[in-house]
Amino acid sequence: MIAANRTRRATLRHRATATRTTRRAHRAINTGQPQPARTHLTAAGIDDPTAKRFAGAFSRGLTADGARTTRIKLKGRARKTVQVKLYTATTFATRLATYRPKDRAAAARFEQAAHRLAA
């Protein structure tokens, strides 16, 4: 396979994954139910890898509006049940207005998302 074609296919695959993730997040937010921080961040316009990276720090010290349990995969066939904090749209919006990561590029993305959400 030609390297340029491989690069193009990978780009399309990543773009499709990002679009699918964003649509799924928007659909979940539009239900009106409390959602995890990562889903809120993705729906606010932050790309999924960045949302995954900062979701834990974003929700640290924040009182959750609800909780649910989910199973995560560990090494091999091992699974673990963990609790996930859920937040309403208003709780998320107030936290997004004040939270900025130390990473300058990510902080700029968070600031843009806060302005979009406030508008």
Side-chain angles (χ1 to χ4, degrees):
M1 180 182 286
I2 299 172
N5 288 344
R6 187 170 34 249
T7 305
R8 285 189 201 115
R9 289 176 67 186
T11 302
L12 287 174
R13 199 169 46 249
H14 290 302
R15 195 177 300 156
T17 303
T19 302
R20 195 177 316 115
T21 305
T22 304
R23 283 190 180 184
R24 189 176 296 133
H26 281 289
R27 206 176 317 128
I29 296 298
N30 288 338
T31 62
Q33 300 292 327
Q35 297 295 326
R38 181 177 173 184
T39 304
H40 276 291
L41 290 171
T42 305
I46 295 173
D47 58 301
D48 194 49
T50 305
K52 182 178 181 179
R53 178 180 172 196
F54 290 106
F58 183 87
S59 63
R60 192 170 295 125
L62 188 61
T63 305
D65 297 316
R68 71 174 182 217
T69 57
T70 188
R71 290 171 58 102
I72 60 169
K73 184 181 177 299
L74 301 174
K75 288 184 178 179
R77 293 185 180 187
R79 304 244 184 238
K80 181 180 180 182
T81 303
V82 295
Q83 191 172 19
V84 178
K85 296 181 192 176
L86 305 176
Y87 305 99
T88 60
T90 54
T91 305
F92 172 76
T94 56
R95 177 66 171 160
L96 185 62
T98 58
Y99 177 76
R100 296 294 176 268
K102 290 182 181 177
D103 181 15
R104 290 182 188 268
R109 286 190 204 128
F110 273 80
E111 190 168 349
Q112 289 174 347
H115 285 301
R116 265 181 286 181
L117 197 62

